[in-house]
Every structure is written in structure tokens, then in C-alpha cells.
Amino acid sequence: MVVLRVLAWIFLIVATVAFISDLTRSSTTGGMVVTSTLIHWKTFAPQSLAAFTSFVQRTLHPLVWDPVLVRLLILPAWVAIGALGLTCAVLGRKKRRVNIFAN
């Protein structure tokens, strides 16, 4: 549970940084600039993207990569990473203890 909460914070911080990055580039260019997760991945770690692509195509099916995962990776980085962070936060939340008192 603690690991999921830590991952949630990390993902949400990275999503915030990606959002601020898009905002600052949008303000300097005058138009809306949105950077996808795929572009960030190609920029920062192209070898891991190629390895992941070949792994998915070899292990699962080539159609899982192209129509499914590519469409998810085309989402803006702050949306995709933020959704991943929120998912980790919901899965790692502390469960409330409910006390039921019967008379």
C-alpha cells in the first residue's frame, strides 16, 4: 500500500511538471502546445521505447501495440501520467475502518 502511495506521488509530480512544461511552451509560442507521452518517451529513452515495442509485438500481438497502446501514448503526457498517478492513489489508499454498533 505504501509503495502505491509513493508511486502515486511520483506520477502526480511528473504529470504536474509535464503540464507546466506544456503551459510555458504554449505561452511563449502563443498557441496551444501539447506534448504526447510517446514524444517524451522518444526524446528521453528511445532504446527503452524500441525494446518495449518489440516486447509487446513479440509477446502479445502486433495489433496490441499499434491501435491500442499507441492511442494511449498519443494522449498528452500530463493526462496519461496523471491518470496513472490517480489510479495508484486510489488503489493504495488507506481503507477506512467501519465500526458497526448493534444494540
Side-chain angles (χ1 to χ4, degrees):
M1 294 295 181
V2 174
V3 174
L4 285 175
R5 280 182 268 169
V6 169
L7 281 175
W9 277 108
I10 291 170
F11 286 140
L12 291 173
I13 289 171
V14 170
T16 304
V17 168
F19 180 69
I20 291 172
S21 172
D22 283 348
L23 269 179
T24 54
R25 277 192 275 137
S26 295
S27 67
T28 58
T29 60
M32 185 66 181
V33 175
V34 178
T35 308
S36 70
T37 310
L38 188 62
I39 291 174
H40 278 298
W41 200 351
K42 281 181 185 177
T43 303
F44 293 118
Q47 294 87 10
S48 70
L49 177 62
F52 183 70
T53 303
S54 66
F55 172 75
V56 169
Q57 288 177 347
R58 196 183 38 203
T59 306
L60 300 173
H61 195 275
L63 291 177
V64 173
W65 171 253
D66 195 12
V68 178
L69 290 177
V70 170
R71 288 203 181 171
L72 289 175
L73 290 174
I74 289 176
L75 288 172
W78 56 272
V79 171
I81 298 170
L84 189 61
L86 288 176
T87 303
C88 286
V90 167
L91 292 176
R93 72 182 185 277
K94 291 182 182 179
K95 307 290 188 229
R96 290 188 186 177
R97 186 172 179 177
V98 178
N99 293 324
I100 300 174
F101 298 102
N103 290 335

